[in-house]
Amino acid sequence: MASGGVDGAPLPDPVVGPVLVVGAGLIGASVAMALTRAGVETFIHDIDPTVAHVAASRGAGSRHQPGPSPRLVVVATPPDQLGSEIARALVDFPGAVVTDVGSIKSKPLAFLEESSLDLGRYVGSHPMAGSERSGPLASSADLFDGRTWAVIHRPDCDTAALQRVDELVRTCGAVVVHMSTTDHDRAVARVSHLPHVVAALTAGRLVDAPAEHLTLSGQGLRDVTRVAAGDPRLWCQIVTANADALGVLLRQLRTEIDGLIESLATGDHSGVEAMLAAGVVGTAAIPGKHGGPSVTLATVSAAIPDEPGALAKLFADAADAKVNIEDLRIDHDPARAFGLVEIDVAEGLAERLTSMLRARGWTAHR
Amino acid sequence: MASGGVDGAPLPDPVVGPVLVVGAGLIGASVAMALTRAGVETFIHDIDPTVAHVAASRGAGSRHQPGPSPRLVVVATPPDQLGSEIARALVDFPGAVVTDVGSIKSKPLAFLEESSLDLGRYVGSHPMAGSERSGPLASSADLFDGRTWAVIHRPDCDTAALQRVDELVRTCGAVVVHMSTTDHDRAVARVSHLPHVVAALTAGRLVDAPAEHLTLSGQGLRDVTRVAAGDPRLWCQIVTANADALGVLLRQLRTEIDGLIESLATGDHSGVEAMLAAGVVGTAAIPGKHGGPSVTLATVSAAIPDEPGALAKLFADAADAKVNIEDLRIDHDPARAFGLVEIDVAEGLAERLTSMLRARGWTAHR
């Protein structure tokens, strides 16, 4: 269940319990379920006992307080309570490492730095996983599988504490990314908070739409607006806590929208296409699903006789190789009896496709 | 394959060929593949012969011109060429009904109305299906299955022509929605063009982001920006052709962003939460996947003994009923030995859940 072990490297140690999770909402309950799944002794607490009861009933550990003090406390409360709950955990459990899973790292840290607490045992973190649904009913032991989970590296935090939080992340099946507090908050403004706000604004435009118009809604609209179904109180706490970083991006967005309105009004469309082209570049910059890089394409070339059915046979042979064709170009010279087909496939599959095509009698090369 | 037949009504007639599809891109090739799948004699043409060749090789009909004149011509060219290609089809095939599958209906119609052509045989249409990929390689015979397909109702179009285009839509597996030209263009500005533009603007903000920041990208960002990977030249033609309707929405969006920037700067957050709450309402207004209404929830109540494992057993019994629990509330009175659990499920499933819970010994009612 834990990630790692790639290239024969030893699997990282799983985190050692007992672990206390404070807050049994979507993220807290999911962390507790993932730890329980991994065999780690886990306790879950919530200010609302029925919420903790629901979470525990779904496999998120035990509601009873740990006998020996927890070795790790995971604070998973709403954003506005993170600072005080982290402080409370540091005081209540002087032998424990304390982390939180909040979406903003600078605001609770500023709260803590105003206290007289030694913050060496506190290491903030943030799993990049969630759902537009909330609460323990939406929780899942595999919510974090293969997801990125930021662990905040501060000069004043203990190395051993950092390592324990890394172990938590890996035990939950996620991939550790170390980052500073400032970098984290700027990053989430761009990859999470701005997208959430534009999704909500786009969905908000649907409220006063004629019902007949909404019958034309397609998958694109559903995708763009899906995250906007998230809890408005929670998201209000998140985006307002990151006001500075988000404000910079919103002002850039406003400038672009001003330009777009002007372009549409005047009929000078060059700026519109440039804006759309930048969007294409932006989508390609998003790393692949499991935190890996975007898929790099490689080209396989094949000579193709200019006769009926040749292209159909080439497609069938590529399909038999179980290789997805990402793009294709045909260089077709009417004066020759052969054309050249350039097939773009994921780089890791180019060799397999080339071999398969050759085995089927095609003249193919990378 | 065709839709219809609901409530025992007779299945609609499939469209009768030959059908000529002009333009072998994603939509044209997919229409031709869906018609071929349904056994309709289909011909496909493209200004680029290799594009038509690729489409035909993938099952999008024949590249040869129909012997007898086509009964229906489907114009699936880029938006800027729709008006002239529809006009050409009306002239070339005086016995055929002509439709197009363009994203904007007013602009080609205005072009046609300046001609001296009788437009009774022209019925515009627009399938609400697509992909961020383009060209015949991305095409699919099932692209339209269960999707909405707008058919434009004009006072001056022949009833028989309208019916033939309805038949085309149903033969392709899609659901007909009749709409006026103006309503259509206003509707797509809201449900398609504005979402595309905000997706592109959000993706555009990623272009100059530090690579480290992008490692925190999650599924939310991918969903919000997915459509922005679409062809910028095609989308520039689409959004600029609908400049008036889109401009209205963009000005509303700018006003909201101005308010948001102000709220974040001043710390008055009431407007932020109201904006986010409107987004939630907007997502709920989007009809369900197959053009049906959003899921309506019904509540099933069950009495639950205040003892360990009771809630877990209730969840297990609900799971056995294969009913997805959408939300749940526990009314828990410490003075009583029983609590009340209210379970929200899709309305159509409430009866099944109630019966199942009763059969398992629970006291349950709707």
Side-chain angles (χ1 to χ4, degrees):
Chain A
M1 271 162 273
S3 67
V6 180
D7 298 331
L11 280 165
D13 292 332
V15 72
V16 175
V19 175
L20 172 64
V21 178
V22 179
L26 170 69
I27 302 293
S30 296
V31 169
M33 289 170 81
L35 291 173
T36 303
R37 175 183 73 172
V40 179
E41 186 181 19
T42 305
F43 298 88
I44 190 148
H45 174 79
D46 197 283
I47 195 170
D48 181 343
T50 62
V51 170
H53 189 53
V54 168
S57 297
R58 301 190 73 233
S62 163
R63 280 191 301 148
H64 304 283
Q65 285 296 328
S69 275
R71 292 186 74 246
L72 175 67
V73 180
V74 181
V75 178
T77 62
D80 282 358
Q81 289 134 50
L82 285 173
S84 56
E85 288 296 332
I86 295 164
R88 185 204 301 255
L90 287 168
V91 171
D92 286 356
F93 305 106
V97 168
V98 178
T99 188
D100 73 300
V101 293
S103 307
I104 311 291
K105 305 321 312 176
S106 54
K107 203 180 168 192
L109 184 64
F111 178 94
L112 293 166
E113 283 175 341
E114 285 182 10
S115 74
S116 57
L117 291 164
D118 169 15
L119 299 180
R121 287 185 290 124
Y122 167 63
V123 177
S125 78
H126 180 204
M128 304 312 296
S131 168
E132 64 276 19
R133 299 177 61 204
S134 55
L137 277 170
S139 64
S140 161
D142 56 13
L143 186 66
F144 310 108
D145 283 351
R147 302 298 183 130
T148 304
W149 188 321
V151 175
I152 305 304
H153 200 297
R154 303 193 325 277
D156 60 327
C157 68
D158 301 342
T159 308
L162 190 71
Q163 189 182 332
R164 202 170 299 175
V165 177
D166 286 355
E167 288 166 0
L168 166 75
V169 171
R170 290 172 183 141
T171 306
C172 289
V175 179
V176 171
V177 173
H178 286 156
M179 205 172 272
S180 75
T181 306
T182 307
D183 273 321
H184 171 275
D185 286 5
R186 287 188 186 153
V188 290
R190 201 183 287 268
V191 304
S192 173
H193 306 165
L194 182 73
H196 192 97
V197 165
V198 299
L201 289 167
T202 306
R205 293 292 93 230
L206 305 176
V207 172
D208 51 2
E212 184 199 20
H213 289 194
L214 294 179
T215 61
L216 298 192
S217 303
Q219 193 52 43
L221 178 67
R222 284 188 201 98
D223 284 350
V224 171
T225 59
R226 182 182 60 80
V227 295
D231 181 359
R233 271 191 306 174
L234 172 67
W235 276 96
C236 183
Q237 290 184 25
I238 292 173
V239 301
T240 56
N242 206 15
D244 291 348
L246 181 57
V248 170
L249 297 170
L250 282 172
R251 285 190 292 277
Q252 293 172 356
L253 184 66
R254 179 175 58 185
T255 303
E256 292 217 62
I257 291 175
D258 283 342
L260 197 52
I261 291 170
E262 177 76 11
S263 286
L264 290 176
T266 61
D268 170 16
H269 297 156
S270 57
V272 180
E273 190 171 331
M275 181 279 289
L276 293 166
V280 175
V281 175
T283 60
I286 302 173
K289 274 205 171 169
H290 299 287
S294 306
V295 173
T296 309
L297 299 181
T299 301
V300 174
S301 302
I304 182 166
D306 188 16
E307 58 187 39
L311 203 51
K313 183 172 182 315
L314 183 72
F315 285 128
D317 289 342
D320 286 347
K322 303 218 185 304
V323 168
N324 195 39
I325 296 179
E326 305 288 345
D327 201 359
L328 176 141
R329 293 167 297 282
I330 302 177
D331 183 5
H332 192 272
D333 180 351
R336 294 187 303 166
F338 277 79
L340 191 69
V341 181
E342 294 187 334
I343 306 167
D344 290 345
V345 297
E347 194 166 34
L349 300 176
E351 195 55 47
R352 188 205 301 174
L353 178 61
T354 309
S355 305
M356 173 65 117
L357 291 180
R358 284 179 180 165
R360 299 276 175 102
W362 298 93
T363 304
H365 64 90
R366 289 195 54 181
Chain B
M1 273 164 273
S3 69
V6 180
D7 298 331
L11 279 167
D13 292 332
V15 71
V16 175
V19 176
L20 171 64
V21 178
V22 179
L26 170 69
I27 301 294
S30 296
V31 169
M33 288 170 81
L35 292 173
T36 302
R37 175 183 73 172
V40 179
E41 186 181 19
T42 305
F43 297 87
I44 189 147
H45 174 78
D46 197 284
I47 195 171
D48 181 343
T50 62
V51 170
H53 188 52
V54 168
S57 298
R58 301 190 72 233
S62 164
R63 280 190 301 147
H64 305 283
Q65 286 294 330
S69 273
R71 292 187 74 246
L72 176 65
V73 180
V74 180
V75 178
T77 61
D80 282 359
Q81 288 134 51
L82 284 172
S84 56
E85 288 295 331
I86 295 163
R88 185 205 301 253
L90 288 168
V91 171
D92 287 355
F93 305 106
V97 168
V98 178
T99 187
D100 73 301
V101 292
S103 306
I104 312 289
K105 305 320 315 174
S106 54
K107 203 180 168 191
L109 184 64
F111 178 94
L112 292 166
E113 284 175 340
E114 286 183 8
S115 74
S116 57
L117 290 165
D118 169 15
L119 299 181
R121 288 184 289 125
Y122 167 62
V123 177
S125 77
H126 180 204
M128 304 312 295
S131 167
E132 65 276 20
R133 300 177 61 204
S134 56
L137 276 171
S139 64
S140 162
D142 56 12
L143 186 67
F144 310 107
D145 283 351
R147 302 298 182 131
T148 304
W149 187 323
V151 175
I152 305 305
H153 200 297
R154 303 193 327 276
D156 59 328
C157 66
D158 301 343
T159 308
L162 189 71
Q163 189 181 329
R164 201 170 299 175
V165 176
D166 286 354
E167 288 166 359
L168 165 76
V169 171
R170 291 173 183 141
T171 306
C172 289
V175 178
V176 171
V177 173
H178 286 156
M179 206 171 270
S180 75
T181 306
T182 306
D183 273 322
H184 171 275
D185 285 5
R186 286 188 186 154
V188 290
R190 201 183 287 268
V191 304
S192 173
H193 306 166
L194 182 73
H196 192 96
V197 164
V198 300
L201 289 168
T202 306
R205 294 290 94 230
L206 305 176
V207 172
D208 50 3
E212 184 199 18
H213 289 194
L214 294 179
T215 61
L216 299 191
S217 303
Q219 193 53 43
L221 178 67
R222 284 188 201 98
D223 284 352
V224 171
T225 59
R226 182 183 61 80
V227 294
D231 180 359
R233 271 191 305 176
L234 172 66
W235 276 95
C236 184
Q237 290 184 26
I238 293 173
V239 301
T240 57
N242 206 15
D244 291 349
L246 181 58
V248 170
L249 297 170
L250 281 173
R251 285 190 292 276
Q252 293 172 355
L253 183 66
R254 179 175 59 184
T255 303
E256 292 218 63
I257 291 175
D258 283 342
L260 196 53
I261 291 171
E262 177 77 9
S263 286
L264 290 176
T266 61
D268 171 15
H269 296 157
S270 58
V272 179
E273 190 171 330
M275 180 279 288
L276 293 166
V280 175
V281 175
T283 60
I286 302 174
K289 275 206 170 171
H290 299 287
S294 305
V295 172
T296 309
L297 298 182
T299 300
V300 174
S301 302
I304 182 166
D306 188 17
E307 59 187 39
L311 203 53
K313 183 171 182 316
L314 184 71
F315 285 128
D317 288 343
D320 285 348
K322 302 217 185 303
V323 169
N324 195 39
I325 296 179
E326 305 288 344
D327 201 358
L328 175 141
R329 294 167 297 282
I330 302 178
D331 183 5
H332 191 272
D333 180 350
R336 294 185 305 165
F338 278 78
L340 191 69
V341 182
E342 294 186 336
I343 306 167
D344 291 344
V345 297
E347 196 165 34
L349 300 176
E351 195 54 47
R352 190 206 301 176
L353 178 61
T354 309
S355 307
M356 172 65 116
L357 292 180
R358 284 178 179 164
R360 298 275 176 102
W362 297 93
T363 305
H365 63 90
R366 288 196 53 179

